[in-house]
Amino acid sequence: MMIPLKHMSLLLLLLQTLSFSLLSTYEAPEDKEDIFASRACPAFLVFDNAAYLVDMTIELPCHCKPEEAHSVVWYYQKKLASPDTRALTDFQGTSVVDSSKVGRGGDLRSRFSIRLFSLLIFRAQKEDSGHYLCGTTKGDFFYGYDVDVQEAHRVSFPWSRAQRRGRAAASRSNQDLPLYQVFTSFWPWSVCDRCGVWGEQTRVGLCYVKSDYLHVRYRWTSQTVASCGSSAVPQRFGLTQTNHQGAELGVRSCQVPCPPKSITQPEHQALLEFLGYNEPAAQGVPVYYHNHPVDTPLILSCPGAKPQHAVAWDQGSRPLYRSQYMEGLNVTFHLFIDTGHHLHFSPATQEDRGSYYCWIQGKRAAEIRLGVYYRLGRKRLLSDPESLYALRIILLCYGGMTAVFVLIVLLKYTWRTVRPKVAKY
């Protein structure tokens, strides 16, 4: 019995793949490395300084813990050694929160999640700044963070000469201060948030202070630099009473071509077909459906987006550029984008129904089909479109019935008036 050459090559390729998998199985180590066993907790609790922008999602990993601790509890303190200490946990070691249902300005307890010993804070606000400690239910602390959440007081679209002169003057005035110097540390420019069309790049600038008089209980990359809102900065500096604590967001236009689509090699495609994985790849992007009541605030998040990602939004085929829809630029718009890449509707209306596309790192990532509905049993106003339509129909029906009634009365009166005269003749 002769085996066709095509089937023979396919069988050899399958055997080669299986042999590679077996070799890799034998070469794999028996036990994985335990990072908690290799990293000891500090004997004296110190705090890592971390600065973020408002509306970002913060992730704070617990870098160390004793081996006997199988779960962690996160604690929050506004000020160090404050009696007002809150435990962020469900006392089972984990708390999962649906980030799509997290609104702005809610309590910290409704915007956090503990996943694999790490604390996640969704849409962090300035009030969330403070100390976060990783420990146990007994109050033993292993690791700590000094979190500084800063608001973007300035959004710059390519800088003008006046802005440059103002920044230079501010830097010169800070250099004259003997105790500290305030400066803005910028993240690198993000990638272009769209490909094939005009897009935008963003970079975040956070406020930092340089001084030789910082508190020694806080750790930073440099021993003389900390964020402006950090507890390591002495209160006598008076930074809380100045305008130095504001962050900055820079936005500029860009245009990059889309990368070519990867082409599967014929040998790999034949192997996939032989193994039964010959289903065609999904066309387009994943589709998400969201229904929301009318006249209530709504916040949309791009699935899979992280704070360091470049995120863009399209309403159908119309791009929503930050140069037009950035929060604070136009107070008359009910649709805007915040510094955490969330799309806000304030509030959602019937005209907002439709498809919204979000981009991540220059690639279209998801389609969100938004439906806006009226709540059952709600109190309607005369200004509602449905109320006006119903009122118009009622008036038309009443007018039509009135006209028919008048017509019947006139015909009856005419018939009674004309009939006797006809009878006489």
Side-chain angles (χ1 to χ4, degrees):
M1 180 179 178
M2 299 295 294
I3 301 178
L5 182 60
K6 178 181 179 181
H7 293 173
M8 180 63 75
S9 61
L10 194 61
L11 184 60
L12 291 175
L13 184 60
L14 178 60
L15 292 175
Q16 184 180 6
T17 305
L18 292 176
S19 63
F20 286 159
S21 63
L22 290 175
L23 287 175
S24 61
T25 302
Y26 284 114
E27 292 176 356
E30 296 180 359
D31 298 326
K32 294 183 179 180
E33 182 182 1
D34 187 0
I35 59 174
F36 296 107
S38 60
R39 181 169 184 176
C41 293
F44 182 74
L45 184 63
V46 293
F47 296 89
D48 285 347
N49 179 230
Y52 300 92
L53 200 62
V54 166
D55 290 319
M56 284 186 171
T57 297
I58 299 174
E59 181 177 2
L60 304 177
C62 188
H63 287 300
C64 70
K65 70 176 185 63
E67 296 184 8
E68 59 272 12
H70 300 288
S71 63
V72 298
V73 178
W74 282 89
Y75 296 88
Y76 170 73
Q77 289 182 340
K78 188 67 177 180
K79 297 294 183 181
L80 190 60
S82 172
D84 184 15
T85 302
R86 288 183 284 175
L88 306 177
T89 184
D90 58 357
F91 293 101
Q92 296 179 0
T94 180
S95 177
V96 179
V97 177
D98 186 0
S99 59
S100 62
K101 299 181 180 179
V102 176
R104 172 186 282 186
D107 185 70
L108 178 60
R109 291 180 180 270
S110 63
R111 289 186 288 103
F112 83 93
S113 177
I114 299 177
R115 300 175 184 175
L116 199 61
F117 307 117
S118 296
L119 176 66
L120 279 76
I121 304 175
F122 301 103
R123 294 169 191 165
Q125 300 300 307
K126 190 174 181 179
E127 294 76 17
D128 299 334
S129 300
H131 299 82
Y132 293 84
L133 302 97
C134 174
T136 63
T137 56
K138 298 180 181 179
D140 299 328
F141 300 141
F142 315 136
Y143 208 83
Y145 287 93
D146 174 34
V147 176
D148 177 20
V149 183
Q150 302 180 7
E151 289 182 334
H153 289 178
R154 180 170 57 249
V155 180
S156 60
F157 301 94
W159 293 332
S160 63
R161 295 181 179 178
Q163 288 177 323
R164 291 178 180 176
R165 287 196 299 268
R167 290 172 58 86
S171 62
R172 285 195 300 269
S173 62
N174 291 333
Q175 291 175 358
D176 296 335
L177 297 174
L179 297 179
Y180 65 92
Q181 298 177 9
V182 177
F183 64 95
T184 302
S185 176
F186 286 93
W187 295 2
W189 284 101
S190 68
V191 299
C192 197
D193 58 13
R194 294 176 177 87
C195 70
V197 296
W198 280 102
E200 292 176 330
Q201 289 178 284
T202 60
R203 70 169 181 174
V204 176
L206 298 174
C207 177
Y208 283 85
V209 58
K210 182 178 180 181
S211 176
D212 295 329
Y213 303 96
L214 302 179
H215 201 291
V216 296
R217 198 170 184 177
Y218 298 84
R219 295 188 302 187
W220 326 275
T221 304
S222 174
Q223 294 299 323
T224 59
V225 175
S227 60
C228 293
S230 172
S231 299
V233 180
Q235 294 183 0
R236 62 193 179 101
F237 286 0
L239 291 182
T240 56
Q241 302 175 0
T242 64
N243 296 326
H244 292 305
Q245 289 199 50
E248 182 176 341
L249 181 66
V251 182
R252 68 181 183 185
S253 300
C254 59
Q255 187 176 20
V256 296
C258 291
K261 297 182 178 180
S262 59
I263 301 176
T264 306
Q265 297 182 1
E267 296 82 2
H268 294 172
Q269 186 66 30
L271 177 60
L272 293 176
E273 293 179 358
F274 179 79
L275 296 176
Y277 298 99
N278 56 351
E279 297 181 0
Q283 299 294 329
V285 296
V287 180
Y288 300 86
Y289 296 87
H290 184 81
N291 293 319
H292 192 76
V294 72
D295 294 334
T296 56
L298 170 64
I299 304 176
L300 292 182
S301 302
C302 189
K306 296 182 179 180
Q308 66 273 19
H309 286 165
V311 181
W313 289 93
D314 294 342
Q315 185 180 29
S317 58
R318 181 168 63 95
L320 302 177
Y321 293 113
R322 288 178 175 82
S323 56
Q324 300 174 352
Y325 292 93
M326 193 69 198
E327 181 180 10
L329 291 182
N330 195 328
V331 295
T332 61
F333 285 177
H334 80 288
L335 185 68
F336 59 88
I337 302 173
D338 63 18
T339 54
H341 312 309
H342 304 106
L343 184 62
H344 290 248
F345 299 81
S346 181
T349 63
Q350 285 287 331
E351 291 75 16
D352 295 326
R353 293 178 299 179
S355 296
Y356 293 83
Y357 298 91
C358 67
W359 301 65
I360 298 179
Q361 296 294 92
K363 297 180 181 180
R364 184 172 285 184
E367 176 186 358
I368 301 176
R369 296 182 181 178
L370 177 62
V372 182
Y373 63 91
Y374 286 98
R375 291 179 176 176
L376 296 177
R378 74 179 187 93
K379 186 182 294 185
R380 297 184 180 274
L381 303 176
L382 288 178
S383 58
D384 293 342
E386 286 79 4
S387 300
L388 296 176
Y389 177 77
L391 184 61
R392 189 182 301 111
I393 295 298
I394 292 174
L395 293 177
L396 288 176
C397 293
Y398 180 79
M401 294 175 62
T402 303
V404 172
F405 176 76
V406 172
L407 181 60
I408 293 175
V409 172
L410 290 176
L411 290 176
K412 189 175 181 179
Y413 176 78
T414 304
W415 174 256
R416 289 181 178 181
T417 305
V418 176
R419 186 177 179 182
K421 297 181 178 179
V422 175
K424 291 181 181 181
Y425 293 103

